[in-house]
Amino acid sequence: MSFVSYLLNGISLGSVYAIIALGYTMVYGIAKMLNFAHGDVIMIGSYVAFVAINSMGLPIPVAILLSVAACTLLGVTIERVAYKPLRHASKLAVLITAIGASYFLQNVALLIFGANTKSFSSVVKMQPIQLAGGQLNITGETIVTVAACIVIMICLMAFMKYSKAGHAMLAVSEDGGAAQLMGINVNGTIALTFAIGSALAAIAGVLLCSAYPSLTPYTGAMPGIKAFVAAVFGGIGSIPGAFIGGILLGVIEILGKAYISSQLADAIVFAVLIIVLVVKPTGLLGKQIQEKV
Amino acid sequence: MKKLSKTTKSSLITYGIVVFAYIFCEIFMRTGHMSSLLKGILVPLCVYVVLAVSLNLTVGILGELSLGHAGFMCVGAFASAVFSKCMMETITVPTLRFALALLVGVVCAGVCGVLIGIPVLRLRGDYLAIVTLAFGEIIKNLVNVIYLGVDSNGFHVSMKDAMSLQMEPDGLVIIKGAQGITGAPTDSNFTIGVVLVLITLVVVTNLVHSRTGRAIMAIRDNRIAAESIGINITKYKILAFSISAALAGAAGVLYAHNLSTLTALPKNFGYNMSIMILVFVVLGGIGSIRGSMIAAVVLTLLPELLRSLNEYRMLIYAVVLIATMIFTWSPSAIGFRERYSPAKLFHKREKGVQ
């Protein structure tokens, strides 16, 4: 029975990784950049929700909406101020700018909220479900997280497949120059991608802090890196890939912690990643790009 | 006097800067104008310069993004600290002990570089970056759980705790898991650091200007073209990567021998450190060895000099980072610089006179 409950915990953590990874993978697919500040957007989102609930006393749905709105605005602003001037610069320059943005957000949070750990109260008020005569305990957070992740993924896939903006995103990720010639507003599309990615980050932040309730300015950094690993694991740029990668990563991490060593859990996650990439260099669902001479 | 070639002159200028900076610091230190804070930062400064120059070999010359450089530093640091602690009684001359420890650290990190390079260098671009990041984290995590002891029967290794080493009563625990290595000799000083910086510079500049270096740069510029003229891609890639790793190991040795307690924290050997080294390299100019050296010094000193601003200093650091990148790379900033650059203004005025 303990195996099943570990598995459920893993899927729950993996769902959070998957939501973050969806944001990573979309931004990567379109802007071809690693947005290192993504993890810190999560942290800011959690702080906004924390302040809205604890200091302003707003009801939980309003607080979540506020957090989503704040992160969307933040994501678009970062893109406009820091990344847009570097659209045609070298990849490494953009990477360093993203690192700068990440430091910036961490230190702003440090200045405003201080280094003390805030204990985040869960936004899920659902009673845990007891199965198998009380041996298996499924918390409300697990159910809500997994459900949210599945709903988000289905919505995103439908958005990419059926909406005009989704088609525009696909076109820009395929060939930005050609998309512009076809009359697609490339800058607008990239801004929209950042907006969606950051909104997802806010949701992920709230869910992450509901399950693991300690909030510091550095809360977002490690989940951000893990989600990036998940996105690469599943094949970066692919939406189902990010989902599968996230879930697998969460499950491996929790099972590794439970059965092998709690200190080595991260090492196990990374070792699995290396094995996958060495065997299949484009990730699980990544497309092989033929190199032209 | 024989006329020096352009590359020799450029390398000599780089060495000259280091020697000049060393003399300058020594004078300041001897005359007592240096605060203890700055004195404490001199050896770490050398560590960062060596790291930045060595990472520039991977990022600038080989053209592959590595986010796990701190991992090699970690290997070098721990291997050499174990050696120094074992040899503490046997070899009593600190400089000799440091030189041997350096050799141990460099060889261990270099071997790690080869072992990691073989699978990793098959990948390209961001995939390579994430795998190097993963390796760095694995090394850090492994070091944190290893217990190593030595007694009359030889070495004992365990991943659980100090008790499970099952040592003789005369045994000595060297690595205590997450507590790291305590009581290793602190053999390094500023002079040794500067000598190490000079050695690193000589190795890297000579490599870059050799036939091997040109082959490596050919791979960076066009892999397929380089392969078609008969350059052994795998060999040169692994060569450059492992030399870079070995030099990072040397930096680790210097780092380890500057501290009496060595622990593997996310702060000193985690991906944050790797990213910080990458920031030095990119801000200094990718491929420019002198640039990464200067960037490492400036960016290490900047937070210290801004200490009076307390909590705002890291914020300013972040803003400097973003602003520098935008100023160097954004098209409008490039246009602005071209229009108002001092050289151009001067040139125009000259023309006007004519």
Side-chain angles (χ1 to χ4, degrees):
Chain A
M1 248 337 118
S2 64
F3 175 76
V4 181
S5 80
Y6 287 138
L7 198 64
L8 281 173
N9 279 343
I11 292 173
S12 167
L13 179 64
S15 304
V16 176
Y17 287 157
I19 299 175
I20 310 171
L22 285 172
Y24 247 118
T25 219
M26 283 177 70
V27 166
Y28 182 87
I30 287 178
K32 297 280 179 288
M33 64 164 289
L34 299 176
N35 186 9
F36 259 96
H38 199 70
D40 302 290
V41 173
I42 297 168
M43 176 268 300
I44 297 279
S46 313
Y47 268 114
V48 169
F50 176 80
V51 169
I53 295 170
N54 291 37
S55 311
M56 290 152 73
L58 295 175
I60 285 164
V62 180
I64 294 176
L65 275 182
L66 195 67
S67 156
V68 168
C71 280
T72 310
L73 194 67
L74 183 66
V76 175
T77 315
I78 294 175
E79 197 275 330
R80 180 72 193 74
V81 174
Y83 304 152
K84 198 175 163 217
L86 300 174
R87 190 85 16 104
H88 301 290
S90 93
K91 240 176 155 179
L92 274 173
V94 190
L95 185 73
I96 300 294
T97 317
I99 292 166
S102 156
Y103 282 166
F104 182 81
L105 292 181
Q106 279 177 11
N107 286 291
V108 165
L110 201 62
L111 276 180
I112 300 175
F113 303 105
N116 295 350
T117 308
K118 302 261 191 293
S119 92
F120 194 94
S121 52
S122 174
V123 295
V124 182
K125 296 289 179 243
M126 222 162 98
Q127 287 301 314
I129 297 172
Q130 308 253 327
L131 286 180
Q135 284 184 346
L136 191 61
N137 196 0
I138 308 174
T139 60
E141 283 86 0
T142 304
I143 298 166
V144 171
T145 309
V146 174
C149 177
I150 292 172
V151 168
I152 287 170
M153 201 206 45
I154 292 172
C155 288
L156 266 186
M157 285 178 80
F159 173 76
M160 293 302 255
K161 199 154 187 237
Y162 298 112
S163 79
K164 207 160 186 180
H167 290 171
M169 278 182 190
L170 283 179
V172 173
S173 76
E174 197 89 354
D175 187 335
Q180 195 153 27
L181 290 177
M182 293 296 126
I184 291 170
N185 180 352
V186 172
N187 282 331
T189 309
I190 293 178
L192 179 67
T193 315
F194 270 86
I196 294 175
S198 308
L200 293 182
I203 296 171
V206 171
L207 290 171
L208 182 73
C209 287
S210 295
Y212 299 87
S214 63
L215 180 58
T216 70
Y218 307 106
T219 298
M222 203 59 200
I225 293 281
K226 293 266 181 65
F228 172 40
V229 170
V232 174
F233 197 49
I236 199 154
S238 141
I239 290 178
F243 176 74
I244 294 171
I247 300 275
L248 276 178
L249 206 70
V251 170
I252 294 168
E253 185 178 334
I254 297 285
L255 290 184
K257 241 180 209 158
Y259 290 109
I260 303 173
S261 155
S262 62
Q263 284 165 310
L264 281 179
D266 286 353
I268 294 162
V269 167
F270 288 126
V272 171
L273 169 87
I274 291 169
I275 293 165
V276 168
L277 282 188
V278 168
V279 175
K280 197 168 183 313
T282 48
L284 292 174
L285 301 181
K287 274 178 282 183
Q288 184 78 49
I289 298 161
Q290 206 63 44
E291 204 171 343
K292 287 187 197 120
V293 181
Chain B
M1 202 177 125
K2 212 174 80 184
K3 208 162 177 243
L4 296 168
S5 73
K6 212 173 159 189
T7 50
T8 325
K9 215 190 244 168
S10 155
S11 331
L12 283 179
I13 292 173
T14 316
Y15 306 149
I17 293 174
V18 177
V19 173
F20 180 74
Y22 172 66
I23 295 170
F24 186 74
C25 284
E26 279 290 315
I27 291 173
F28 254 68
M29 210 147 50
R30 293 282 155 81
T31 50
H33 285 297
M34 198 176 269
S35 67
S36 59
L37 202 75
L38 272 180
K39 264 184 212 160
I41 211 174
L42 285 177
V43 177
L45 215 55
C46 297
V47 173
Y48 293 141
V49 169
V50 174
L51 281 172
V53 172
S54 68
L55 184 65
N56 207 337
L57 188 59
T58 306
V59 176
I61 312 300
L62 180 63
E64 299 287 8
L65 179 58
S66 164
L67 291 176
H69 217 55
F72 298 119
M73 181 191 169
C74 185
V75 171
F78 274 85
S80 68
V82 167
F83 174 82
S84 285
K85 199 169 174 190
C86 292
M87 292 293 153
M88 221 156 144
E89 271 89 51
T90 326
I91 308 170
T92 45
V93 188
T95 318
L96 178 67
R97 192 167 54 204
F98 183 83
L100 289 175
L102 184 66
L103 196 67
V104 171
V106 165
V107 168
C108 286
V111 169
C112 265
V114 175
L115 291 180
I116 291 173
I118 290 168
V120 161
L121 291 170
R122 294 175 56 213
L123 304 168
R124 279 202 292 279
D126 298 320
Y127 291 98
L128 188 127
I130 195 73
V131 169
T132 50
L133 188 152
F135 267 118
E137 290 295 298
I138 290 176
I139 290 173
K140 189 198 78 194
N141 271 326
L142 276 181
V143 165
N144 260 324
V145 295
I146 280 183
Y147 288 82
L148 178 74
V150 64
D151 61 10
S152 46
N153 293 340
F155 286 101
H156 297 261
V157 185
S158 158
M159 307 263 284
K160 269 209 207 89
D161 51 44
M163 293 315 289
S164 54
L165 288 173
Q166 290 170 343
M167 287 195 306
E168 308 277 319
D170 63 325
L172 174 74
V173 183
I174 299 176
I175 308 180
K176 292 183 198 125
Q179 288 170 336
I181 301 177
T182 46
T186 50
D187 290 338
S188 68
N189 54 38
F190 185 45
T191 312
I192 289 181
V194 170
V195 171
L196 201 60
V197 168
L198 281 175
I199 293 173
T200 311
L201 286 175
V202 170
V203 169
V204 175
T205 43
N206 280 313
L207 178 72
V208 171
H209 296 138
S210 69
R211 190 187 168 87
T212 315
R214 285 191 293 276
I216 294 168
M217 283 188 279
I219 296 171
R220 172 194 68 188
D221 292 338
N222 193 327
R223 197 178 55 86
I224 294 169
E227 199 166 18
S228 68
I229 55 165
I231 292 172
N232 185 341
I233 303 251
T234 322
K235 180 184 140 193
Y236 283 109
K237 267 187 165 179
I238 289 175
L239 184 75
F241 192 73
S242 51
I243 289 176
S244 168
L247 290 173
V253 177
L254 189 62
Y255 181 87
H257 287 78
N258 188 38
L259 304 165
S260 52
T261 308
L262 181 68
T263 46
L265 301 168
K267 199 178 67 188
N268 55 8
F269 295 128
Y271 67 92
N272 282 319
M273 183 65 170
S274 307
I275 285 175
M276 206 170 83
I277 309 165
L278 185 66
V279 167
F280 296 155
V281 172
V282 178
L283 271 187
I286 296 160
S288 154
I289 285 153
R290 201 186 304 158
S292 39
M293 197 173 83
I294 294 169
V297 172
V298 170
L299 286 184
T300 319
L301 285 180
L302 188 67
E304 296 302 321
L305 297 178
L306 291 174
R307 206 165 265 279
S308 54
L309 296 166
N310 285 324
E311 53 237 37
Y312 291 97
R313 64 193 182 115
M314 285 317 284
L315 201 64
I316 295 172
Y317 183 85
V319 172
V320 167
L321 218 57
I322 298 175
T324 316
M325 281 298 118
I326 291 180
F327 189 69
T328 336
W329 290 95
S330 127
S332 54
I334 290 171
F336 177 84
R337 266 193 329 212
E338 273 171 3
R339 211 170 314 141
Y340 297 104
S341 76
K344 191 109 178 257
L345 286 178
F346 191 65
H347 195 65
K348 253 186 201 160
R349 210 166 291 153
E350 239 175 20
K351 261 189 189 163
V353 170
Q354 281 172 350

